[in-house]
Amino acid sequence: MLLGPTRPLRAQDRGTAPLPPPPGAPTQAARIELDLDPNTSEAHVQALPADSSVVVLLGRPNRPGGRETLFAFQQYDRDLHLRTERAVDVPDEFSFARICAEPRIVYALFSSTRVPGRFLVAAYDAQGGQVLTQVFDTKTVRNVVDLKAMDGHLFATVTLNDGQHLTALLLDVATGRLQFLSSVYEQLPTQLSFVADATAGRAEYVLTQTNGRKSRLQLKQLTDRGQLVSSEYVQAQSDRSLITAQLSPPQDTSTRLLTGTYSLRDPGYAQGLFATDLSAAAWGSRR
């Protein structure tokens, strides 16, 4: 007798009809297939909740076997019907790095493969269909590890050429000006998470800081122009180390939650979850 792995009986094996999906199960209301070669093309999708449209940044080779990539923004409506397509002039030295959006603008960031610290930003206006590009020469930035948009500005979390520090960069896409945020300058392996609150005009950072034995969190709130508004430390009253955390979305105004992971011994390994209320009513009784 041969023994092998067993498998559960399927509906066809039992001679019965498949079970219906549970209530509220997601359905595929629309579908579109793009004629792209996965070996030579790329597609980056950004949803716009304001009007339920989808913007796709496509990168396709200029010619078969060529190394030059042609980029274009394609915008689809909620039923995935093509609404607009706009070409983006991206020189051959740049490769795609990050994409993000605010309510009606989609931003794509490209990094130079020739000049370290040089970036190109392409901004697509989902209402008017126009595309604006800007080149930024930072000179000291190595990599962009996160990108968020707020009020026409980009907040980029970046590592520096020294390989030892992490900081934040404010990019003004309309004017081409850049600004390093001196209030966010940390020694690696510090981690940053970021939330953009456009309604309040605030940028909120959560920093993870450790001495190798115990770690804590620091919250920093900045204006949409990068000025520091407030700074606060969050640490557990016991021997627990708070490792990583994220803020709840700013749209949820009933509570302001900070949630993340903690450890009892080695801050490199998470052993549980924590949550704390950051709303004004919780001041003085925060747990």
Side-chain angles (χ1 to χ4, degrees):
M1 181 174 65
L2 297 177
L3 297 178
T6 61
R7 61 179 177 84
L9 289 176
R10 298 175 300 177
Q12 295 88 330
D13 301 328
R14 298 191 300 266
T16 59
L19 295 175
T27 59
Q28 187 183 72
R31 176 186 176 93
I32 186 172
E33 295 186 5
L34 302 176
D35 185 16
L36 300 174
D37 184 345
N39 296 316
T40 59
S41 304
E42 53 186 301
H44 309 279
V45 181
Q46 179 67 56
L48 296 178
D51 61 356
S52 299
S53 65
V54 174
V55 175
V56 182
L57 176 68
L58 293 180
R60 292 168 284 197
N62 186 24
R63 62 181 183 276
R67 300 182 60 182
E68 183 181 0
T69 302
L70 298 180
F71 286 94
F73 285 108
Q74 287 187 348
Q75 185 175 0
Y76 297 85
D77 62 19
R78 60 183 301 172
D79 297 317
L80 295 184
H81 297 142
L82 182 61
R83 182 188 300 175
T84 309
E85 180 171 358
R86 292 289 183 269
V88 186
D89 184 14
V90 179
D92 187 42
E93 70 168 285
F94 291 97
S95 61
F96 173 83
R98 297 278 170 175
I99 191 170
C100 68
E102 50 184 335
R104 68 179 185 88
I105 307 292
V106 176
Y107 301 91
L109 185 141
F110 303 82
S111 60
S112 174
T113 58
R114 300 175 187 171
V115 181
R118 175 180 292 174
F119 300 97
L120 181 144
V121 174
Y124 170 72
D125 186 341
Q127 289 186 346
Q130 297 87 5
V131 176
L132 172 67
T133 60
Q134 288 281 6
V135 175
F136 298 89
D137 280 301
T138 66
K139 304 187 186 303
T140 59
V141 171
R142 175 179 293 181
N143 292 311
V144 176
V145 297
D146 193 17
L147 189 69
K148 295 290 192 304
M150 183 173 63
D151 194 25
H153 296 80
L154 292 179
F155 287 82
T157 303
V158 299
T159 58
L160 300 181
N161 287 336
D162 62 8
Q164 300 180 7
H165 292 90
L166 189 73
T167 187
L169 187 64
L170 181 63
L171 304 177
D172 189 329
V173 181
T175 64
R177 291 195 297 266
L178 64 89
Q179 173 188 352
F180 284 93
L181 303 183
S182 58
S183 57
V184 184
Y185 182 82
E186 301 296 327
Q187 185 103 14
L188 289 172
T190 299
Q191 301 180 48
L192 294 181
S193 62
F194 173 83
V195 170
D197 188 350
T199 303
R202 295 288 187 268
E204 296 175 301
Y205 284 91
V206 181
L207 293 76
T208 302
Q209 301 172 326
T210 180
N211 58 8
R213 300 187 311 273
K214 191 173 182 179
S215 61
R216 66 181 180 182
L217 304 175
Q218 185 179 12
L219 308 181
K220 290 189 176 183
Q221 191 178 72
L222 286 71
T223 68
D224 57 357
R225 296 300 186 268
Q227 286 81 27
L228 182 65
V229 175
S230 63
S231 179
E232 175 189 2
Y233 288 103
V234 178
Q235 54 190 17
Q237 295 179 351
S238 63
D239 293 333
R240 293 173 173 84
S241 291
L242 306 183
I243 304 175
T244 60
Q246 290 187 345
L247 289 163
S248 60
Q251 292 79 10
D252 183 9
T253 57
S254 58
T255 57
R256 201 75 173 99
L257 290 180
L258 179 74
T259 59
T261 59
Y262 74 86
S263 174
L264 294 173
R265 297 179 180 88
D266 188 344
Y269 299 92
Q271 294 179 280
L273 304 175
F274 78 90
T276 186
D277 188 355
L278 300 180
S279 59
W283 283 97
S285 60
R286 186 169 301 170
R287 299 181 60 183

